[in-house]
Amino acid sequence: MHQHRIELSAHSRGAAGERLRYFGFAAAVSLLLLLNLTGVWRTVLGVDTAAILALVAGYRTFYNSIAALFEKRLSADMAISIAVVAALAVGEYLAAAEAMFIMLVGEGLEGYAAGRTSAAIHRFVEQMPRRARLLRGGEELEVDAATLAPGDLILVRAGERIPADGRIELGASSVDESTITGEPLPRDKGPGDEVFSGTLNGRGLLRVRVLRAGEETTLARVIRLVEEARRRKAPVERLADRYARFFLPALLAAAAVTYLVTGNWMRTVAVLIVGCPCALILATPTAMVAAIGGLARRGILVRGGSVLQAAAETDTIVFDKTGTLTEGRFEVVRIVALDRDEESLLRLAAAAERGSEHPLARVIVEEARRRGLAFEEPESARILPGRGAECRLRDRIVRAGSAAYLAENGVPVAPWLLEEADRLGATAVLVADGDRLAGAIL
C-alpha cells in the first residue's frame, strides 16, 4: 500500500504538470487567436495564423478521428474534423480555429475536473499510515506498513491510524471508522472485533492480528472503486459516439442538400459547423467527472458515471444506518433520570466524563455548561477506552458508559432505557451512582 501511495503521488504530480502545460498551451492559442481576430498578427510566412491554430489546437480531435477510421467506426470527433476541414477549404480559417479552440477549452475543463477527482483520491490514500509496529519474538519492530502480511501481530498505540485490516487480540478502544463507514461516532472495539486500515485508534492500546494488508485492505479497495469510477463512462457520456453512426451521415446529408439547393459552399460549411455536437461531447463528461470528484471530497463514493446517471431517476432510497443520515454533530436529545432530577443526573455524568475525549463525553460536558450547572471536582478519575469513564466523588464511585461496562461492575441495567434510545435513534450513555443505576443520557 505504501508503494501504491508513492506511485499515485508521483502520478498526481505528473498529471498536475501535464494539466499546467495544457492550460498554458490553451492560453497561448487564445492569445494568438485574439491577435488574429484584431488584425494585429494574421500571417506567418504568408499563411493565415488562424489556419495554423486550427490544425495545432485540433491535433487531438484529428488524431481521434483517424484512429476511429482505422477501427472502422464512426465517432463524434469526425463531425467536428469534417466541419473544420471544410471551413479551411473554403478559406474560413477563423471559424475553423474558433471551433477547435472550443474543443481545446472543453478538454482542458474536463482535465481540470479530473484533477480535482484525483486530489480526492489522493486524500483517501493519505489516510494510510506509512509505518507499523510489528511484534515479533517479544520485540517491537517499526516496519514499512507495505511489508505487513496476514498473520502478523501489530501494536497500535493511542491516536495512531491502524495500518492494516485485522482482528483485535488484546486491548479495548474507541475507533474512528468515518473514513470507511461514514459514521461520525467512534465505535467501541474489544478483543475479537475487526478493525480496518486507515481508521483512527482512540485512547486505548491495541494488539491486532493482521487479516488483510497492502492492496487487499478495505481502504485500498475503496480507493480502487473511486479510481474506477473516474475512468468509467456513463451511458449519457457515450451518447455522442453511440449515435455518431446515425448523426454523422445525417449531418453530411443535410450539408449536401444545402449545397444542392443553394449552391453556396459558405452555407454548406455553416451547416457543418453549427451541427457539430460540441456541447454533448464536452459538457457531459465534464459534468460527470466534476460530480464524482465533488462527491468524493464529501465522503460519498460513486462507483461510476452510470450509477450517478441512474441516481437521477431514483425515487426511493433505503438507508441501513441512522448514522449515515446525521450531520455528524451530536446533541443531548433526552435525559432520563430514575431517582433524581435531570440536572442532578447531568452533573454526575459531566463529572465522570470531563476527562474523556470521546465525542459523546464532550457533548455531555458541554450540555452541563450550557445549562450553567456546576459539577463537583472528582477526587480521582479513570477513562476506560471502548467502555466508559468513572470518577470518585467523596465516598462513592460514579460511572458513565455502555450497558456492558455497567454490568461488568454489578450495576443492573434497565432494558427499556436501551429500547427508548433505539426508538429515538440515539446512543444511550448510562449513569450509575455507586451500585445503583441513576439514569441515562440519550
Side-chain angles (χ1 to χ4, degrees), residues 73-77 79 235-251 275 277 280-281 309:
R73 62 180 178 86
L74 298 179
S75 71
D77 284 329
V236 69
E237 289 184 79
R238 298 190 296 266
L239 198 61
D241 286 334
R242 187 188 309 157
Y243 289 107
R245 62 180 183 273
F246 307 113
F247 177 78
L248 185 55
L251 179 61
L280 194 59
I281 292 173
Q309 183 178 342

Side-chain angles (χ1 to χ4, degrees), residues 2 19 28 59 62 84 154 192 250 297 317 331 370 376 391:
H2 181 49
R19 287 194 301 274
Y59 74 97
F62 291 131
V84 169
I154 58 175
R297 289 193 302 277
I317 302 175
E331 61 181 7
R370 187 185 68 82
E376 296 183 52
C391 70

Side-chain angles (χ1 to χ4, degrees), residues 332 334-335 342-343 346 366-373:
V332 175
R334 186 179 175 189
I335 299 176
E342 291 185 2
E343 292 188 349
L346 187 56
E366 288 169 4
E367 179 66 15
R369 288 172 176 161
R370 187 185 68 82
R371 297 189 182 194
L373 302 180

Side-chain angles (χ1 to χ4, degrees), residues 168-400:
I168 297 175
E169 289 200 350
L170 184 65
S173 184
S174 295
V175 180
D176 181 356
E177 297 182 334
S178 57
T179 53
I180 301 295
T181 65
E183 295 283 359
L185 183 66
R187 294 194 62 183
D188 294 337
K189 300 279 188 175
D193 291 333
E194 190 170 351
V195 291
F196 304 101
S197 62
T199 56
L200 184 64
N201 183 26
R203 301 187 66 175
L205 182 67
L206 301 177
R207 289 194 179 193
V208 178
R209 183 70 64 179
V210 175
L211 298 178
R212 294 174 296 275
E215 297 296 319
E216 300 304 316
T217 62
T218 302
L219 184 60
R221 294 200 299 269
V222 168
I223 293 168
R224 283 201 297 271
L225 283 177
V226 181
E227 289 178 325
E228 290 171 8
R230 183 168 59 91
R231 292 191 294 265
R232 190 179 293 114
K233 285 188 175 182
V236 69
E237 289 184 79
R238 298 190 296 266
L239 198 61
D241 286 334
R242 187 188 309 157
Y243 289 107
R245 62 180 183 273
F246 307 113
F247 177 78
L248 185 55
L251 179 61
L252 294 176
V257 169
T258 301
Y259 180 72
L260 290 174
V261 171
T262 65
N264 190 316
W265 276 109
M266 298 298 293
R267 293 185 178 182
T268 303
V269 171
V271 169
L272 292 173
I273 291 288
V274 172
C276 290
C278 297
L280 194 59
I281 292 173
L282 300 177
T284 305
T286 302
M288 284 289 181
V289 173
I292 291 173
L295 290 170
R297 289 193 302 277
R298 291 166 176 81
I300 302 172
L301 305 182
V302 181
R303 187 171 178 87
S306 57
V307 176
L308 191 63
Q309 183 178 342
E313 304 172 2
T314 301
D315 57 9
T316 303
I317 302 175
V318 179
F319 292 91
D320 66 340
K321 299 176 184 176
T322 57
T324 55
L325 300 176
T326 68
E327 296 179 352
R329 297 192 301 271
F330 302 103
E331 61 181 7
V332 175
V333 295
R334 186 179 175 189
I335 299 176
V336 182
L338 300 181
D339 59 357
R340 66 202 68 206
D341 58 60
E342 291 185 2
E343 292 188 349
S344 296
L345 180 66
L346 187 56
R347 284 193 185 96
L348 283 180
E353 298 278 25
R354 67 181 304 171
S356 175
E357 292 298 321
H358 193 282
L360 294 183
R362 290 199 298 267
V363 168
I364 291 172
V365 174
E366 288 169 4
E367 179 66 15
R369 288 172 176 161
R370 187 185 68 82
R371 297 189 182 194
L373 302 180
F375 41 91
E376 296 183 52
E377 184 71 30
E379 298 173 9
S380 62
R382 186 165 63 126
I383 309 300
L384 295 95
R387 291 187 290 171
E390 65 180 43
C391 70
R392 178 176 290 278
L393 294 177
R394 294 190 297 275
D395 57 346
R396 69 192 194 279
I397 294 178
V398 176
R399 295 181 175 90

